[in-house]
Amino acid sequence: MARVTQQDIAKVMGVSVMTVSNAFNRPDQLSPDLRTRVLERAAKMGYTGPDAIARQLRSGRTNTFAVAFEEKLSYAFSDPFSVAWLAAFSEVMEKHRASIMLLSVPAGDHEALAAVQDAAVDGIAGLCGNQPAMIRARERGMPTVYCTLATREDAEGTGDYVVIDDHAAGLEMAGHLRRLGHERVFLLVETPYRGQPRMVEYRPEDFRALVDAHAGYLFSDDLRLAGLVEGLHGLEVTIVPVGTNSRAAGNAAGTLVLDRTDRPSAVVAVSDVMALGFMDACAQRGLEPGLDVSVAGFDGLPEAADAGLTTIRQPVRDKGRLAAELLLDPSLPDRRIILPHELIVRRSTRPVG
Amino acid sequence: MARVTQQDIAKVMGVSVMTVSNAFNRPDQLSPDLRTRVLERAAKMGYTGPDAIARQLRSGRTNTFAVAFEEKLSYAFSDPFSVAWLAAFSEVMEKHRASIMLLSVPAGDHEALAAVQDAAVDGIAGLCGNQPAMIRARERGMPTVYCTLATREDAEGTGDYVVIDDHAAGLEMAGHLRRLGHERVFLLVETPYRGQPRMVEYRPEDFRALVDAHAGYLFSDDLRLAGLVEGLHGLEVTIVPVGTNSRAAGNAAGTLVLDRTDRPSAVVAVSDVMALGFMDACAQRGLEPGLDVSVAGFDGLPEAADAGLTTIRQPVRDKGRLAAELLLDPSLPDRRIILPHELIVRRSTRPVG
DNA sequence: ATGGTGTTCTTTATCGTTACAGAGAACAAG
DNA sequence: CTTGTTCTCTGTAACGATAAAGAACACCAT
């Protein structure tokens, strides 16, 4: 019992396949009478409507857009930034009656990259521009939009983007700490890519060399970090790659940074979740952020406001919304958007002393 | 400049299309030499690899599975139960290298139903069996799995499922309250479907009539509620439909239930999020759950444990995992799975008096 | 020579649908 | 009685790929 197709119906009814097709898609192309007869017969034969795939092949469009994550999807659902972005993105997609496909392409998982090749979508969005999935998508000639410029090279690539000026944001945060008189600063960065060093202290120049050696594939906040390092030039700066961007990783970093005699006076994480995790570590040790050690993050999550965390707020929802709009409307002229950000000073950062 | 196809490459190189196809998919079918030449030429011509849609049409499989939500997707990402389920579901899908498509088909949104028709997927899963998207998918003859039996009719339908015995769970919860001596109980139920009554008090029999009048499309926890009502028979029971399943809705219910002279001694919400929202309302009024009013929920979220909420724990992750496995492997024999649940008594429910 | 066995490439048919260009009939206008 | 127009419906040719079977040739053992 094979599947019923328009052809079968046409044969049985003695009409052309085109008539059956028109009965479903273009009612004005045939008489109302014949149309109802075709539809009735189709229902009786168990025909379930035009096949989606065949239609897509014909039209060349799927009305589906992919979102690529460089972590497991369970991470995407648990990270507040991802969720907020995804919610805004999906709201626009829903409004336009487009569907969303989720792709998980963990770094280093070469096999998972095939999913990008096999995805029947009209375009793809991702949080980070230099993740393998996005690179592959661009190679495939697929419309892409990404929401973080990881490296300067990304900006010169072929993809569209909706970003903030992460380098400038890093500079601002550095300036803030400098004004507060901090001279010894630790920077917590994520290095989501597998097999990379974690929880080791680096001088900025060594870390730079490490990143360059990995051709930008080492982590996703290069510009942000570059701004920080540049802005903190002359001070004693130490970089700690903590692994995955998560509250747990930030907390773990507390072990390395707090349980020592020569504690830094300030710690900046390149994301709020890491900073919040680090604050958890402070709390566990009875230390008060801002007094015992200044702490700052990036992103501007609601959770950061509750915790009194100094941060750089970025318009997450606008990123998601605009990314969706760029994908949906290829004729929009402005396809490389830089949104404003804002330094928000809270009680977690205070003057040294 | 149209897209490059295998045909173009074949023509230029003077080989058959099949050879080009084999170069990409079946290396053993042609000489290594010719293969490299084909691949090189393909790259030079800007060919980006076999087209996903065409391949899908040929093979009849997409390796993609849909998840249908009866709310906006932003809800799905914010509801703890949804997220936990989705995380487990996606973990299995990722492991099998399958992709996930998210479909949002809000109740009453007839146009959004077309998404089910147009989805190029091998199967579809949903939390609730009687949501329009799932019904349509079954009509289309698509493999379906759902994770809540909303009504008894669902159980007799054609779809596969992974559920708990919600009726028994309701009975158990009722028994628990009865043993504690409660005689006046309010039940908070969700009614996600649009245009339905909210925040009005119903006698059980009136509410039953209302549900029946809507042919089961009124809300999604019918069996659970039926168990509660049955188990509380003889006591004074009031049903309050609160609208969408959310913390905010549960909180709002507090206004109706708490700000009155004849407060009930116990309140049961058909989900933990609603119960937690109701506990928020208690806290705002300086009332202590368990002392001033007993509160209970369903689902067994981690948040419920933190809040000391009595609840029925159900294996969310197993539901998600098994749903994915049923979709991925149509040959699994056991396709209608009833998982165990467990009453967990905490400090939010205590004896009357 | 003969036949069997690979290797390598080609031919043909098909997946299910829709765009496009007609064809024939009916009908109105000149 | 033409000519044009509208209404219905049909046939053909894609969309881009792959499965299956076949053909051409070389190679080896009988």
Side-chain angles (χ1 to χ4, degrees), chain A:
Chain A
M1 48 166 283
R3 179 155 55 140
V4 184
T5 69
Q6 293 185 353
Q7 192 137 222
D8 301 326
I9 301 168
K11 203 173 296 172
V12 169
M13 295 191 68
V15 298
S16 79
V17 198
M18 216 39 237
T19 299
V20 180
S21 174
N22 284 333
F24 283 93
N25 304 308
R26 300 172 59 177
D28 58 310
Q29 294 292 304
L30 74 175
S31 66
D33 173 56
L34 179 55
R35 182 171 128 93
T36 39
R37 276 192 294 127
V38 169
L39 294 183
E40 274 169 12
R41 186 54 144 284
K44 199 173 299 170
M45 292 176 67
Y47 181 68
T48 52
D51 179 77
I53 303 174
R55 201 204 281 247
Q56 288 176 4
L57 178 61
R58 210 33 258 241
S59 71
R61 296 186 7 87
T62 63
N63 203 31
T64 303
F65 295 87
V67 178
F69 293 96
E70 47 187 336
E71 301 283 348
K72 296 174 65 173
L73 291 182
S74 52
Y75 166 83
F77 301 138
S78 67
D79 178 57
F81 187 86
S82 286
V83 169
W85 182 90
L86 200 49
F89 182 85
S90 58
E91 268 170 33
V92 176
M93 286 296 174
E94 280 168 58
K95 195 175 302 164
H96 286 77
R97 308 261 172 233
S99 298
I100 297 176
M101 180 178 295
L102 301 182
L103 300 178
S104 165
V105 185
D109 188 341
H110 201 74
E111 239 187 286
L113 251 183
V116 177
Q117 182 73 38
D118 294 340
V121 296
D122 296 340
I124 180 168
L127 287 180
C128 183
N130 74 340
Q131 60 176 307
M134 295 301 280
I135 293 171
R136 176 58 146 274
R138 288 196 294 260
E139 285 170 3
R140 242 191 94 178
M142 192 179 266
T144 61
V145 178
Y146 41 89
C147 293
T148 303
L149 287 179
T151 66
R152 287 186 183 75
E153 288 74 41
D154 278 348
E156 286 139 25
T158 57
D160 301 335
Y161 53 73
V162 186
V163 300
I164 61 168
D165 186 340
D166 278 296
H167 186 261
L171 281 177
E172 279 171 49
M173 180 61 83
H176 169 61
L177 293 176
R178 201 182 265 280
R179 281 191 298 277
L180 293 177
H182 292 281
E183 295 184 334
R184 189 165 148 64
V185 183
F186 270 51
L187 306 179
L188 309 184
V189 304
E190 59 167 333
T191 49
Y193 302 115
R194 281 184 203 169
Q196 297 314 325
R198 297 180 45 168
M199 292 302 199
V200 178
E201 300 173 24
Y202 286 89
R203 299 287 98 190
E205 54 276 17
D206 297 338
F207 191 72
R208 167 62 35 204
L210 191 68
V211 171
D212 288 344
H214 286 82
Y217 273 75
L218 187 60
F219 75 133
S220 51
D221 286 308
D222 199 11
L223 285 176
R224 195 173 285 184
L225 180 66
L228 278 169
V229 169
E230 189 178 324
L232 294 171
H233 187 74
L235 308 184
E236 188 188 340
V237 174
T238 303
I239 296 175
V240 181
V242 301
T244 300
N245 177 45
S246 70
R247 199 145 177 161
N251 192 331
T255 310
L256 188 75
V257 178
L258 295 172
D259 300 343
R260 56 198 294 157
T261 50
D262 59 337
R263 274 213 299 266
S265 69
V267 173
V268 184
V270 298
S271 79
D272 280 349
V273 283
M274 284 192 286
L276 289 166
F278 187 81
M279 287 174 92
D280 292 340
C282 291
Q284 285 155 10
R285 289 163 177 77
L287 300 172
E288 182 163 344
L291 282 183
D292 300 303
V293 56
S294 281
V295 183
F298 279 80
D299 287 343
L301 300 181
E303 291 89 327
D306 299 339
L309 174 67
T310 292
T311 188
I312 297 273
R313 200 184 63 76
Q314 61 168 320
V316 200
R317 291 190 50 85
D318 288 340
K319 276 188 169 183
R321 184 175 55 77
L322 289 166
E325 284 168 1
L326 286 177
L327 284 180
L328 286 164
D329 185 355
S331 70
L332 286 177
D334 222 1
R335 309 193 65 79
R336 301 192 145 203
I337 302 172
I338 300 179
L339 297 173
H341 59 267
E342 183 189 2
L343 172 67
I344 299 181
V345 178
R346 300 204 181 92
R347 62 177 185 276
S348 73
T349 51
R350 292 187 223 172
V352 171

Side-chain angles (χ1 to χ4, degrees), chain B residues 127-339:
Chain B
L127 286 181
C128 183
N130 73 340
Q131 59 176 309
M134 295 302 280
I135 294 171
R136 177 60 145 274
R138 289 195 294 258
E139 285 171 3
R140 243 190 93 179
M142 192 178 269
T144 60
V145 179
Y146 40 90
C147 293
T148 303
L149 287 179
T151 66
R152 287 185 184 76
E153 289 72 41
D154 279 347
E156 286 140 27
T158 58
D160 301 335
Y161 53 73
V162 185
V163 299
I164 62 169
D165 185 341
D166 277 297
H167 185 262
L171 281 178
E172 280 171 49
M173 180 62 82
H176 169 62
L177 293 176
R178 200 183 267 280
R179 281 190 298 277
L180 293 177
H182 293 281
E183 296 184 333
R184 192 166 146 65
V185 182
F186 270 53
L187 306 179
L188 310 184
V189 305
E190 60 167 334
T191 50
Y193 301 116
R194 282 185 204 169
Q196 296 315 325
R198 298 178 45 168
M199 293 304 199
V200 177
E201 300 173 26
Y202 287 88
R203 300 286 98 191
E205 54 275 19
D206 297 339
F207 191 73
R208 167 63 34 205
L210 192 68
V211 171
D212 287 345
H214 286 82
Y217 272 75
L218 188 60
F219 75 132
S220 50
D221 286 309
D222 199 11
L223 284 178
R224 196 174 285 183
L225 180 66
L228 278 169
V229 169
E230 190 177 324
L232 295 170
H233 187 74
L235 308 185
E236 186 187 341
V237 174
T238 304
I239 295 176
V240 182
V242 301
T244 300
N245 177 45
S246 69
R247 198 145 176 161
N251 193 330
T255 310
L256 188 75
V257 178
L258 295 172
D259 302 343
R260 57 197 295 155
T261 48
D262 58 338
R263 275 211 299 265
S265 69
V267 173
V268 183
V270 297
S271 78
D272 280 349
V273 284
M274 284 192 286
L276 289 166
F278 187 81
M279 287 174 93
D280 293 340
C282 291
Q284 285 156 10
R285 289 162 176 79
L287 300 172
E288 182 164 344
L291 281 183
D292 299 304
V293 57
S294 281
V295 183
F298 279 80
D299 287 345
L301 300 181
E303 291 90 327
D306 299 340
L309 174 68
T310 291
T311 188
I312 297 273
R313 200 186 64 76
Q314 61 169 319
V316 200
R317 292 191 50 85
D318 288 340
K319 277 188 169 184
R321 184 175 56 76
L322 288 167
E325 284 168 3
L326 285 178
L327 284 180
L328 286 164
D329 185 356
S331 71
L332 286 177
D334 222 2
R335 309 193 67 80
R336 301 192 145 203
I337 302 172
I338 300 178
L339 297 173

Side-chain angles (χ1 to χ4, degrees), chain B residues 90-132:
Chain B
S90 58
E91 267 169 35
V92 176
M93 285 296 174
E94 281 169 57
K95 195 176 302 164
H96 286 76
R97 308 262 171 230
S99 297
I100 297 176
M101 180 177 294
L102 300 182
L103 299 179
S104 165
V105 185
D109 188 341
H110 201 74
E111 240 186 283
L113 250 184
V116 177
Q117 182 73 39
D118 294 340
V121 296
D122 296 340
I124 180 168
L127 286 181
C128 183
N130 73 340
Q131 59 176 309

